[in-house]
Amino acid sequence: MMTTFPPELLSFLRAASRVAVLTGAGVSQESGLRTFRDAQVGIWAQYRPEDLATPEAFERNPRLVWDFYATRREGAGSAQPNPGHYALAELEKRFNNFLLITQNIDGLHQRAGSRNLVELHGNLRRIRCSRRCGTIDEWEELPEVVPACPKCGAPLRPDVVWFGEALPEDGLHHAITAATTSQVFFSIGTSGLVQPAASLALMAKKAGSVFVEINYDPTPLTDQADYAFHGKSGEILPDLVKALG
Ligand code: OAD
Ligand code: ZN
């Protein structure tokens, strides 16, 4: 069934030039990648984040953390972008000023053709020194043991943001600027529970942006949304591109 969009939203979007979009794991769900918080199937329904996604976890058991991210990296590498990713790359071309802010580390937005992109939580394709000596590399193979930094000897780790860690400063700054100067802000496929990403929507709204949520389930942000569409982003986003004409 085609999604129906209120005509006033469509005409506002047709006239808009500044659009910011925040995405989360839900946009990759139709590519076969797991979300985090969905009951039963979410990654955090099976594992505890404190065992796998914190600096302390890596210190305690680097191998376990490596293997977890290696599995996710392989999954992301063999997954294909879905119609939602492609629709976002299409939308980027419509607006003079468009920023895609993603919490995803799977690289699928780039592969679908999105260019103006901020990765708030890093990317699975890179590794870096755990002591931040500056070493950063492409993650090519899964090594037998956790590799040591060629410069300082500390263990190398995935270049992703873990719980308790700060987000990349430039990326976050760019995201906040785009959100607070946008005319329309979309929150798509994210539970809106992880800060500071989740607060971008409210910052945007407070600054006068029209806030649109597209998510399978209602979220804590839904009440704040000017427009909320509940369903699959891989269906709603292509419908939106079509409806805009
Ligand atoms: P969550 O798993 O918390 O939320 C995913 C949301 O996507 C849920 O609200 C689902 O209803 C929705 N969803 C599922 N399938 C969908 C579909 N096909 N179309 C649209 N929506 C769908 O994932 P995030 O919000 O991305 O951080 O989680 C945020 C952060 O928490 C992640 O970046 C990760 C995680 O822990 C770190 O690892 C630092
Ligand atoms: Zn180093």
Side-chain angles (χ1 to χ4, degrees):
M1 204 180 65
M2 271 287 273
T3 321
T4 319
F5 301 96
E8 79 274 9
L9 173 62
L10 292 176
S11 36
F12 190 75
L13 270 169
R14 287 193 193 103
S17 60
R18 298 186 309 279
V19 172
V21 178
L22 173 71
T23 64
V27 297
S28 294
Q29 187 267 336
E30 290 155 89
S31 295
L33 299 181
R34 296 170 69 180
T35 56
F36 293 96
R37 291 176 188 77
D38 285 306
Q40 320 294 333
V41 296
I43 291 176
W44 299 149
Q46 187 185 352
Y47 304 103
R48 302 187 320 156
E50 57 271 38
D51 291 339
L52 294 165
T54 64
E56 294 77 20
F58 185 67
E59 251 170 64
R60 260 195 322 266
N61 195 341
R63 184 70 220 189
L64 180 78
V65 174
W66 260 97
D67 288 350
F68 171 68
Y69 283 95
T71 306
R72 290 185 59 197
R73 175 177 160 277
E74 268 162 39
S78 49
Q80 298 301 324
N82 69 57
H85 294 109
Y86 289 114
L88 285 167
E90 222 25 70
L91 281 177
E92 174 171 348
K93 298 182 194 149
R94 289 191 69 103
F95 304 100
N96 285 338
N97 218 311
F98 181 94
L99 186 68
L100 181 55
I101 305 156
T102 190
Q103 300 167 90
N104 298 345
I105 58 178
D106 56 32
L108 289 176
H109 283 307
Q110 291 90 328
R111 284 172 53 202
S114 285
R115 290 294 164 259
N116 214 355
L117 180 75
V118 166
E119 294 177 314
L120 282 183
H121 292 168
N123 192 300
L124 275 172
R125 283 167 313 177
R126 291 188 308 265
I127 44 180
R128 67 169 171 83
C129 176
S130 57
R131 223 178 263 156
R132 286 195 181 276
C133 75
T135 296
I136 193 154
D137 206 353
E138 286 282 310
W139 184 353
E140 299 293 352
E141 296 296 323
L142 176 62
E144 289 296 310
V145 292
V146 177
C149 172
K151 246 195 252 173
C152 77
L156 293 175
R157 55 165 278 182
D159 190 15
V160 300
V161 175
W162 285 329
F163 288 98
E165 294 186 316
L167 273 59
E169 216 174 295
D170 289 354
L172 182 60
H173 183 78
H174 193 177
I176 291 172
T177 306
T180 53
T181 57
S182 66
Q183 294 160 293
V184 185
F185 185 92
F186 287 89
S187 177
I188 309 177
T190 176
S191 59
L193 289 169
V194 172
Q195 298 298 347
S199 57
L200 288 169
L202 301 180
M203 285 185 202
K205 193 178 158 75
K206 210 171 152 208
S209 189
V210 171
F211 170 32
V212 183
E213 180 178 68
I214 299 175
N215 203 61
Y216 198 78
D217 300 301
T219 74
L221 294 173
T222 305
D223 278 351
Q224 305 289 319
D226 296 296
Y227 301 92
F229 301 94
H230 296 300
K232 295 185 173 182
S233 50
E235 294 170 3
I236 297 173
L237 285 168
D239 287 349
L240 179 63
V241 170
K242 258 188 240 138
L244 286 170

